[in-house]
Amino acid sequence: MATKMRKLPSAVLLFLLVADLGWAWALIPSPSPAGLSARRYDSIFSFGDSYADTGNNPVVFAANSVFNLVTRPPYGSTFFGHPTGRNSDGRLIIDFIAQRLGLPLVPPSLAHNGSFRQGANFAVGGATALDAAFFHDGSDPGNKFPLNTSLGVQLQWLEALKPSLCRTTQECEAFFGRSLFFVGEFGVNDYHFSFPTKSLQEITSSVPDVIRTISMAIEEALEKLRGRHPDAMIVYADLFGPIMDMVESPRKYGFEEDVLTNCCGRPGALICGDEGANLCEKPAARLFWDVAHLTEAAYRYIADGWLGSIDSPVLEIYLGYMYLLV
């Protein structure tokens, strides 16, 4: 598969979340006696799929004439009081991070008419790491999934937005140097969309491409950073571990014992957003909101854990450019 280098603008903090690998990277280059929460960030830019999407998916689905249940109640009912395009009952990890940093909730780039000076979210529900063309072999012309919202496409959206944020190289370095980049998750949908149309052998052979697209170049970037800035602190933020801990010890988090039963929907029949679908009385006591996504309560625990693990003083460095292979 053809690949090429793309630049990700300078970032003082970069989260890289890879669901299929079960962990994330955070590069933290500046000190603060009170930790991350006291560090001044002026904006957040986010990439990913439904675990990070704050409202792009209704726009993309509508443009492709695809109905989206996430636009119906009870999505968003816990915090916002109405559907927002988030695949949850409330806030996501990216929302809690923004609030901790004293920034507005990151607006979806395709559904926001205001300024993006304080950040933009390019994540779209159902997004893949590999470009959509990889999954469409012509055998089912009526199949629209996955839609053209891959990691590479989202990075192109950022490039298209940049002229409205900064004009010169120096201006862009100053602007993005005060920004946080949240990249992830990617990978799960690549496998999910492969199963209906590809053989197990074809899916297996695509695994290196998926992993390479997400992580190989990032790892080589990390190696260069270690050599250039040996005092830099690199934090691995675990996604899989906290979820497994909540599954194995639900009462520790205030969850009910039937932790694998989703709050919204009915197994084997109606799904969340369908008329007549079941809704649990206490979403905060459940790990799963619908069949694939977590509740606001679960996202809060994960976000608190990530922020707690990096909320400590570190040495100041300047990262320059981070390169992603896409």
Side-chain angles (χ1 to χ4, degrees):
M1 171 170 290
T3 56
K4 60 181 179 179
M5 282 289 192
R6 287 191 180 277
K7 288 182 179 180
L8 189 64
S10 309
V12 286
L13 177 60
L14 172 62
F15 282 99
L16 297 171
L17 172 59
V18 188
D20 58 311
L21 299 181
W23 38 262
W25 287 301
L27 303 182
I28 309 169
S30 59
S32 170
L36 173 67
S37 57
R39 168 68 188 180
R40 176 61 181 171
Y41 296 97
D42 294 337
S43 56
I44 298 176
F45 294 90
S46 174
F47 309 82
D49 62 11
S50 55
Y51 274 61
D53 185 359
T54 56
N56 284 318
N57 67 87
V59 177
V60 173
F61 279 46
N64 288 273
S65 301
V66 177
F67 177 69
N68 191 355
L69 285 171
V70 78
T71 60
R72 287 181 173 178
Y75 282 95
S77 57
T78 293
F79 182 79
F80 301 99
H82 59 86
T84 64
R86 290 168 173 81
N87 284 263
S88 182
D89 60 313
R91 291 163 289 182
L92 310 178
I93 296 172
I94 186 66
D95 295 317
F96 289 112
I97 290 175
Q99 290 181 325
R100 172 74 75 87
L101 297 180
L103 291 172
L105 301 184
V106 188
S109 63
L110 304 179
H112 179 66
N113 296 321
S115 170
F116 291 102
R117 295 290 300 178
Q118 291 186 293
N121 193 345
F122 304 100
V124 181
T128 55
L130 302 179
D131 287 337
F134 172 81
F135 305 91
H136 299 292
D137 58 5
S139 61
D140 184 4
N143 181 25
K144 298 182 179 182
F145 290 97
L147 302 175
N148 191 29
T149 58
S150 67
L151 172 57
V153 171
Q154 293 180 28
L155 288 171
Q156 291 173 8
W157 291 343
L158 171 63
E159 289 298 317
L161 184 65
K162 280 175 63 176
S164 68
L165 303 174
C166 54
R167 295 180 297 275
T168 66
T169 299
Q170 184 176 5
E171 192 177 60
C172 287
E173 288 184 349
F175 177 82
F176 289 113
R178 298 188 301 273
S179 300
L180 177 153
F181 280 80
F182 188 98
V183 185
E185 67 170 357
F186 286 101
V188 168
N189 288 321
D190 293 76
Y191 306 126
H192 172 74
F193 289 123
S194 294
F195 286 118
T197 60
K198 298 185 182 297
S199 68
L200 182 59
Q201 183 178 359
E202 289 175 315
I203 296 173
T204 302
S205 66
S206 73
V207 171
D209 286 327
V210 175
I211 296 176
R212 185 183 304 112
T213 300
I214 303 170
S215 64
M216 188 177 72
I218 296 171
E219 291 173 358
E220 295 173 355
L222 288 177
E223 290 300 323
K224 291 178 181 177
L225 284 171
R226 288 191 182 100
R228 190 182 308 161
H229 305 289
D231 295 326
M233 180 180 180
I234 300 174
V235 177
Y236 295 86
D238 186 7
L239 173 69
F240 181 75
I243 294 177
M244 286 306 300
D245 194 40
M246 286 184 269
V247 170
E248 294 172 352
S249 305
R251 290 197 176 276
K252 184 169 70 173
Y253 298 91
F255 294 144
E256 298 174 356
E257 286 296 336
D258 58 341
V259 68
L260 296 180
T261 301
N262 47 294
C263 174
C264 184
R266 182 178 301 167
L270 300 176
I271 59 177
C272 192
D274 276 335
E275 186 176 351
N278 286 354
L279 179 65
C280 68
E281 293 184 5
K282 298 179 180 179
R286 296 292 180 93
L287 171 59
F288 284 96
W289 167 247
D290 58 22
V291 294
H293 306 95
L294 307 182
T295 60
E296 177 184 274
Y299 286 130
R300 180 196 295 272
Y301 287 124
I302 296 171
D304 287 346
W306 287 8
L307 289 165
S309 69
I310 62 177
D311 208 2
S312 60
V314 292
L315 297 176
E316 182 168 7
I317 64 171
Y318 178 72
L319 291 183
Y321 283 98
M322 172 65 66
Y323 288 89
L324 297 181
L325 189 65
V326 298

